[in-house]
Amino acid sequence: MTDAVSGELQGLRAVLTIGGRSLVRHQLGLALALGCTRIVVVTDALTSEVIALQHATESAGARFHVITSAHALLPLVTAEDDLIVLGDGLLVQPELALPQLEQATGVLALPVEAGVAAGFERIDINHAFAGAMRLPGRIVAGLGDLPPEWNTHAALLRLAVQGRVPLRLLPDAVLADARWKLVRNEDEAHAAEPVWLRLHTASGHLRSPGEWITAKTVHLAGPALLHAGTRPWVVALGGVVALLLAFGAGWFGWRTPGFGLLALAWTLARVAQMMADIERRALLATGYRAPTGVWFEWVIDGGFVALSAWRSEVSHAPGVPLGLGWFAPLVLILMLHLLPRVVPVGRMTWWLRDRLVAGVALAACSAVLPFDICLRAVILALVVWALAVTSARGPLANADLTTAD
């Protein structure tokens, strides 16, 4: 925490924020994930950010040290230690950095043209320093032979090159999309943040409408929420409020708005979960989980069953047994849980898990269609679709038990 923000007289590069967290806090998560038991911060002043780093370090069970010069590192590192060095302002995607720094000692390097253009320091005619290295502890002893005013990172890099620590070349493709980036000022931080958010919200499958809206909401509102210090549980609390309003609306006869409120509650819970996942993936720390989880989705499904039963006209018909109006809604929700488990994974299975789709569909049926007929038609359509899909897969796994002689 020594390099100043480029183009400014005050301000440190390390405290620039991405996703509401300083760059040095992102680096701390990476160091702790690598199993570091001692965290050493090089800085000239004891600031609130340094104190926050100390609390995060000690809560993770590691020791924390603040030094102001390279020589102060000598008593902290033994020859048997490995020293992991992360450069000022370095922002890396953990999935890329962890394998590189876990493998073995080495200085991570980039092709010189791409590396220097991205702001990294040149090592030699062919390589630029990628801002991270893992060194054997014996290298640190050489700091005693250098003047005390030397920059710590520059001194360690020089000693590593002189000590023939191997260079491990990274492809210049890692510089794309903020996966491996040196952030030097506010403009670069603002430009990198949307790309960083998209990296941490990428999906391995084609998103359903509710998932797409969730991701789009995080992309648009996530930076403002995270910079304002809004934690995921605050967003999840909005989902809880929407859920309570949905039950209240259904109880007082406003079932169509109630379905919409249930869809909103599910969406807010998913936004909170995605924000928590971003913090957990970026900071590589446990404990960043939204308070809503599987139980909350089951409560939302219970709300769909209750509102559908209250909306049904079957229960009000004379001579109908008590509770019959609850049967079709319960079957529908159970099918929405069962079918994704038994049919091949595809776009439709993600739609079946999407409660925004379910809420909007039920609200539309409630508003403009015969609700009971519509509900049963949906159930029948799902059964026919499941039979068609599973038949296309070929013989059943227990075909020998169902074939007659």
Side-chain angles (χ1 to χ4, degrees), residues 47-61:
T47 63
S48 59
E49 184 64 40
V50 175
I51 295 173
L53 285 175
Q54 179 180 2
H55 292 161
T57 300
E58 293 175 348
S59 65

Side-chain angles (χ1 to χ4, degrees), residues 113-196:
E113 292 184 1
V116 172
F120 292 96
E121 179 182 356
R122 180 190 293 268
I123 297 177
D124 54 33
I125 192 172
N126 294 316
H127 304 98
F129 177 43
M133 49 187 170
R134 182 170 187 150
L135 308 177
R138 59 177 176 79
I139 293 292
V140 177
L143 290 174
D145 301 326
L146 297 177
E149 62 272 11
W150 266 58
N151 176 276
T152 305
H153 290 78
L156 288 171
L157 179 59
R158 174 176 175 176
L159 292 171
V161 174
Q162 291 177 345
R164 299 189 180 279
V165 176
L167 293 179
R168 300 225 304 276
L169 186 64
L170 302 175
D172 55 7
V174 302
L175 297 174
D177 298 334
R179 292 185 297 163
W180 199 290
K181 183 174 181 61
L182 193 64
V183 182
R184 295 164 291 182
N185 53 50
E186 289 281 358
D187 291 339
E188 290 184 352
H190 288 314
E193 191 167 55
V195 184
W196 175 87

Side-chain angles (χ1 to χ4, degrees), residues 311-332:
R311 175 65 178 80
S312 173
E313 297 177 2
V314 173
S315 301
H316 306 294
V320 173
L322 183 65
L324 187 61
W326 293 74
F327 181 74
L330 185 59
V331 170
L332 175 61

Side-chain angles (χ1 to χ4, degrees), residues 27-28 31-32 34-41 57-58 60-67 72-79 81-85:
Q27 293 182 358
L28 174 63
L32 293 174
L34 287 165
C36 294
T37 58
R38 179 176 294 160
I39 304 298
V40 182
V41 174
T57 300
E58 293 175 348
R63 287 175 288 177
F64 187 81
H65 303 271
V66 177
I67 62 175
L73 191 62
L74 289 168
L76 299 178
V77 183
T78 68
D81 290 331
D82 272 3
L83 176 66
I84 296 172
V85 182

Side-chain angles (χ1 to χ4, degrees), residues 188-276:
E188 290 184 352
H190 288 314
E193 191 167 55
V195 184
W196 175 87
L197 271 176
R198 285 195 293 272
L199 285 173
H200 286 286
T201 56
S203 174
H205 63 270
L206 188 63
R207 286 189 168 108
S208 65
E211 292 175 320
W212 183 86
I213 290 175
T214 297
K216 202 67 176 177
T217 300
V218 172
H219 294 164
L220 295 175
L225 292 173
L226 292 170
H227 282 288
T230 305
R231 300 272 68 89
W233 65 266
V234 178
V235 181
L237 183 60
V240 174
V241 172
L243 176 65
L244 295 175
L245 290 174
F247 275 103
W251 180 259
F252 288 105
W254 301 324
R255 278 78 194 234
T256 300
F259 289 126
L261 287 168
L262 287 175
L264 176 62
W266 180 85
T267 305
L268 290 174
R270 281 306 179 102
V271 169
Q273 186 62 58
M274 186 171 285
M275 289 175 62

